[in-house]
Amino acid sequence: MDFIANRPIFPRNSYLIINGVKLDDHNNDGLKFDVDVKTGEEGKVGVGTFKIYNLSQDIEIGSEVELWFGYAEDIGYYSKYEVIKKKRIKESSSFIQELTCSERTKNSSKIVSISLDGNTRISEAIKEVTKEMGINLISMELNKDKIYTNGFTCYSQGFQELRELVQDSESKMTLKGDDLYIYTDKQKDQAIYLSFESGLIHNPEAVEQQEKEVKVNKKSDNKKEKSKKDDKWEDEQKKKTIKESNKYDYTIECFPIHYIKKGDVIYVESDDVSGFMQVEEVSISLSDSWNMKLGVKVMKDDGKHKDNSSKNTKNKKSIMNRSLS
């Protein structure tokens, strides 16, 4: 198991590229801007809000915004967004352009027309769809690479076609701007190592199972007497609701790290919890304070990496130190 460690958390460095023009942040002799971005639910795209202070140019709907951030020289591309809504705000002596954005770009919204002959695998269809859309297939791991014996034909929005193909392969996808990542829930050979020395801010917080009383039989609740049948139905509904509401096991707060995305495997080492986890949701805030929140699922031990995780515990600090030098 190879652990990918994080770089020093100083000093902050970020910029936007709006329609090809670079805009540095106020830490680098540019303009102040605040960023709040969040990944979408499974099969959906992320959203973002960008507040830019005192920018003389007016940003139009349909403009594309790239987000780059990091620390010192370790700065990297995070994602690309399309402006779908805008408004101007007057705050004290500042004029703010507030941009509401979608992580789906013009390329990912294209209509694609493809016809492939018989005995076509899902992986081949995905490659052709992404090629037609003009997006980058960064990685592809499929649970099932089925064969379409009758071939594959489509004429619809490329993003929708990709979503259906990925679902048919019993896998998951993350679309970051024009970059597509397809992944599974299986353990990977590499994990991002996250500890208090490499960016972790607090101990992981267990997600409380919410909505225990939601979606129960309200009509039955109002009865003076309930039958055993009602009680059984209610218990089953509560169990179902608890399972549905618990999307992930822990919430992790760390400093923003540009290469962490939904679907990545991380190894968390903290005072309370240590182990492999898969990222299910990402929220990033770049404003006066920087933070990143990850919704994660604990990965079940398949027996393949049990010895590796314990063996590498002694080497984690040295791996991290090498990356810091």
Side-chain angles (χ1 to χ4, degrees):
M1 169 61 64
D2 295 325
F3 287 101
I4 307 168
N6 303 327
R7 297 294 180 89
I9 312 301
F10 66 87
R12 296 174 183 174
N13 190 357
S14 64
Y15 61 84
L16 306 176
I17 297 180
I18 305 176
N19 296 330
V21 179
K22 183 179 178 183
L23 177 65
D24 287 311
D25 66 13
H26 66 288
N27 295 315
N28 296 280
D29 299 321
L31 294 179
K32 174 179 170 59
F33 57 79
D34 298 335
V35 176
D36 284 287
V37 295
K38 186 175 183 178
T39 58
E41 296 178 4
E42 183 57 39
K44 296 184 179 180
V45 296
V47 295
T49 300
F50 297 80
K51 292 182 179 180
I52 306 174
Y53 291 72
N54 300 317
L55 179 64
S56 57
Q57 294 86 356
D58 193 34
I59 306 302
E60 299 294 335
I61 291 176
S63 296
E64 290 191 333
V65 181
E66 290 184 19
L67 174 61
W68 294 67
F69 67 84
Y71 307 88
E73 300 302 319
D74 181 23
I75 187 168
Y77 167 78
Y78 180 72
S79 190
K80 184 189 291 185
Y81 300 83
E82 182 177 353
V83 179
I84 58 175
K85 184 180 177 182
K86 67 171 186 175
K87 65 179 179 179
R88 292 180 68 89
I89 304 170
K90 178 72 164 64
E91 185 177 289
S92 184
S93 60
S94 297
F95 286 96
I96 305 169
Q97 291 191 56
E98 182 176 295
L99 311 175
T100 302
C101 302
S102 166
E103 204 167 8
R104 186 184 301 177
T105 64
K106 292 180 175 66
N107 284 337
S108 58
S109 300
K110 282 182 179 177
I111 299 296
V112 296
S113 177
I114 294 175
S115 181
L116 303 177
D117 294 335
N119 296 320
T120 298
R121 289 191 175 274
I122 291 179
S123 57
E124 295 170 335
I126 289 173
K127 290 176 183 177
E128 288 300 318
V129 172
T130 54
K131 181 180 177 181
E132 185 78 7
M133 293 168 67
I135 65 174
N136 309 309
L137 180 58
I138 304 299
S139 60
M140 179 169 58
E141 295 178 15
L142 305 178
N143 269 319
K144 294 183 178 180
D145 194 5
K146 298 178 183 177
I147 296 176
Y148 297 139
T149 55
N150 295 325
F152 173 79
T153 302
C154 72
Y155 180 79
S156 63
Q157 190 181 72
F159 178 81
Q160 180 63 30
E161 288 295 336
L162 286 174
R163 182 167 62 178
E164 292 177 3
L165 285 166
V166 171
Q167 287 176 346
D168 204 18
S169 72
E170 298 181 15
S171 308
K172 298 180 180 180
M173 61 179 269
T174 296
L175 185 64
K176 290 179 59 178
D178 288 333
D179 296 335
L180 178 66
Y181 304 80
I182 300 174
Y183 60 95
T184 69
D185 290 325
K186 294 178 181 178
Q187 187 87 343
K188 297 182 179 179
D189 293 330
Q190 288 191 328
I192 298 168
Y193 175 57
L194 193 58
S195 70
F196 289 111
E197 290 82 7
S198 62
L200 190 65
I201 297 176
H202 303 294
N203 281 306
E205 183 178 352
V207 175
E208 296 293 337
Q209 293 177 334
Q210 302 293 328
E211 302 177 10
K212 292 183 180 181
E213 303 300 327
V214 177
K215 297 181 183 177
V216 297
N217 189 343
K218 298 297 182 184
K219 187 175 181 180
S220 295
D221 286 345
N222 292 327
K223 291 180 180 179
K224 291 183 179 178
E225 294 182 1
K226 292 186 284 187
S227 66
K228 290 182 179 179
K229 184 177 179 181
D230 290 332
D231 288 336
K232 182 180 179 183
W233 185 92
E234 221 178 72
D235 290 340
E236 289 175 352
Q237 238 357 58
K238 287 179 180 179
K239 289 178 182 178
K240 181 174 181 290
T241 302
I242 290 170
K243 184 178 179 181
E244 288 176 347
S245 64
N246 194 15
K247 294 179 181 178
Y248 38 83
D249 298 317
Y250 289 95
T251 297
I252 294 175
E253 186 173 356
C254 60
F255 291 105
I257 301 164
H258 63 78
Y259 50 79
I260 290 184
K261 64 183 182 302
K262 186 169 69 173
D264 279 342
V265 174
I266 61 176
Y267 186 91
V268 178
E269 184 172 296
S270 69
D271 297 333
D272 297 339
V273 180
S274 294
F276 291 101
M277 303 180 187
Q278 189 164 38
V279 178
E280 298 286 331
E281 187 174 85
V282 181
S283 297
I284 298 174
S285 177
L286 307 178
S287 54
D288 293 332
S289 60
W290 280 27
N291 67 47
M292 184 181 212
K293 291 185 179 178
L294 310 174
V296 301
K297 279 278 191 183
V298 174
M299 300 193 72
K300 294 179 181 179
D301 184 7
D302 59 6
K304 295 180 182 179
H305 301 280
K306 187 174 181 181
D307 295 336
N308 284 341
S309 61
S310 59
K311 181 173 64 176
N312 276 290
T313 301
K314 296 178 181 179
N315 298 328
K316 290 171 192 170
K317 294 284 173 57
S318 61
I319 292 171
M320 184 185 65
N321 289 335
R322 284 201 298 273
S323 108
L324 295 177
S325 59

